[in-house]
Amino acid sequence: MIKKSLITASVLSIFALICAALLGVVNFFTSPVIKAHEEENIKKSISLVCPLYDSNTMDITTNEDSKAKTTYLVSSKETEELLYVIYIVDATGYASTIEMMISVDKDYKITGYKVLSSAETKGDIKSHDFNMIGSNNLDSFDTLAGSTYSSKAVKKCFKLALSYAKEEFEGGQK
Amino acid sequence: MNMAQVITILISTIFIENIILSQFLGICSFLGVSKKRSSAIGMSISVLVVIILATLVTWLLYNYVLVVFDLVYLKTIIFILVIASLVQIIEIIIKKFAPSLYKSLGIYLPLITTNCAILGIALKTVNYGYGFGTMLLYAIGSGIGYFVVMYIFSVIREELEQRNLPKAMKGIPIALVVASILAILFSRYVGIAPKVEDEEEALRETYVIENDIVEDENIIYYDHNYEDLNI
Amino acid sequence: MKDNFLKGFFKENPLFTMLLGCCPALAVTTTVENAIGMTLAFTFVVVLSNLFISLININEKIKELIQPVRIAVYIVIIATLVTVVEMLMEAYFPSLYSSLGVFISLITVNCIVLGRAEAYASKNKPLNSIVDGLSMGLGYGMAIIMIAFLREVLGAGSITIWGSAKLSLIPVFNFLRIEPISFFVSSPGAFLVLGLILGVIQAINNKKVLKNKNKRQSKKEVK
């Protein structure tokens, strides 16, 4: 009885191991492609939120210590001066977590933003102009009519990014 | 996590983002076992128990084993094996310690392994990167949401059986139309979650940038797509 | 062979006659493109799982060994294939992957795949099993593409076939002076469309049954 169940258990585990090995092989081939896609997407988004970004004269590094989910520091290749900080922030909440990429320049002004993901089915939130480019004043924030809740989440994203950026640039000056 | 957050998560999972009517998980069992009230209740209770346990176990496995060893790509295969063995274990335990319960729930348990609600919720919680508390509430809310919809639906279907309907619509077709109406009703529950922010406070709020901004708000945002319904 | 292939489309259509695999049929049918993507992924999984499972069952010794845990073995094989599809899709069709979301992984628990493995592939030869898998996959695909077509045309006024190959029907709608009804793209609309399609099919079946009855009766009268 015990022997029999041991045999079946080992048969099942052998099958599972074969399958896992197979998956490992496939993963080995696909994961670089997936990673490349992700990087390409991030580069695309960066050049969108930060129109003056030029890969020839500027370097992108990530800041692991930052409070934000992901932080990219764009600095000049020559002078190593920090030019832009780009944050991926999200407004925490439940049913729809809005994730945004926001770029702030060294004058502490927002140069661009992009809504990366939102559970909202309407496309409006992704294309709406929140009237924040070139500014750091949240009073000029333009709420999207009809989607008050999502607008509040977006506003919070800006608020977070600006607060992080302040820390970042002030820390750099010290 | 404060009380408002807890209530909001529960209400959104039970009503607005209902597991059956809005996320389309577990439709097979929703149509298959809802003919009778008693079987609907039996199935829903089994799902409620298994969904909470399975999500808990898979979440722990994912975050403390798979992520650590960089084996994230094995999640589907591991999750389904965990769920299948969990169902087996629950079946054995119930059989031993509560034979009367086993009599009423026993037949639904084997069906649960292939119920996509369980695997779906387990995968969603790790895909969205929920924390422990959110994950638990999400699972509980989904289970209760399943129960609520199954119960209402089975009552309506029992009633429909006795009505004189066009022959073509009898059975599943009319049941799906009823489900459609239920889905409209459930997506309209948007307003009942606790108010996100005091309007007056929002007006007074001056957006001074502060460093401790992250802690100062316990605001919960959620979206709704009820404007999409042209009804 | 031909019957074996055609059965999945009409006589034994998994969605319309057996009501299997409803979850993705409702969830991913917002655009035709999603439905096509789902069809490809699903057909791949069902064909290969049928093939492997019938190969395993050809050998009597292995068949006997796995007999007590055969469902678990089948699930492991199916889950592996699903993960392979998932990884390939994420690598080569990222936008499709993100719009299908969790429903690619959920092919694992789709009753059709496991049902065909247990009912057909474990008892038949590999070649027949492949044909059976193709028939089921494409038959299911036909059904969900049909639902997606209705939902997208009525709800969004367009037909998206693949990527930017999109056909807008807005001029037609304008000509008829009506607007697309976005209700059909929302979740309640999915239930309604499937319910009405099943109603139509039931009506056709009822008529057929009635006709056969009449024929039999008239034959009896002649006799």
Side-chain angles (χ1 to χ4, degrees), chain C residues 13 17 21 50 59 75 125 151 165 169 177-178 208 222:
Chain C
N13 190 300
T17 62
N50 266 5
N59 191 323
I75 287 182
K125 282 182 186 145
R151 282 183 72 190
L169 296 176
R177 301 219 174 133
I178 47 175
K208 262 188 198 160
V222 169

Side-chain angles (χ1 to χ4, degrees), chain B residues 64-81:
Chain B
Y64 293 105
V65 179
L66 293 185
V67 171
V68 175
F69 292 104
D70 206 12
L71 292 170
V72 174
Y73 58 88
L74 288 180
K75 64 173 188 258
T76 313
I77 196 168
I78 296 221
F79 281 18
I80 189 75
L81 283 178

Side-chain angles (χ1 to χ4, degrees), chain A residues 96 121 146 149-150 152 159, chain B residues 205 217 221 223-224 227-228:
Chain A
S96 149
T121 40
Y149 291 121
S150 355
K152 276 178 184 164
K159 210 168 157 184
Chain B
E205 199 177 345
E217 285 173 61
Y221 299 98
D223 270 312
H224 36 78
E227 304 106 309
D228 292 350

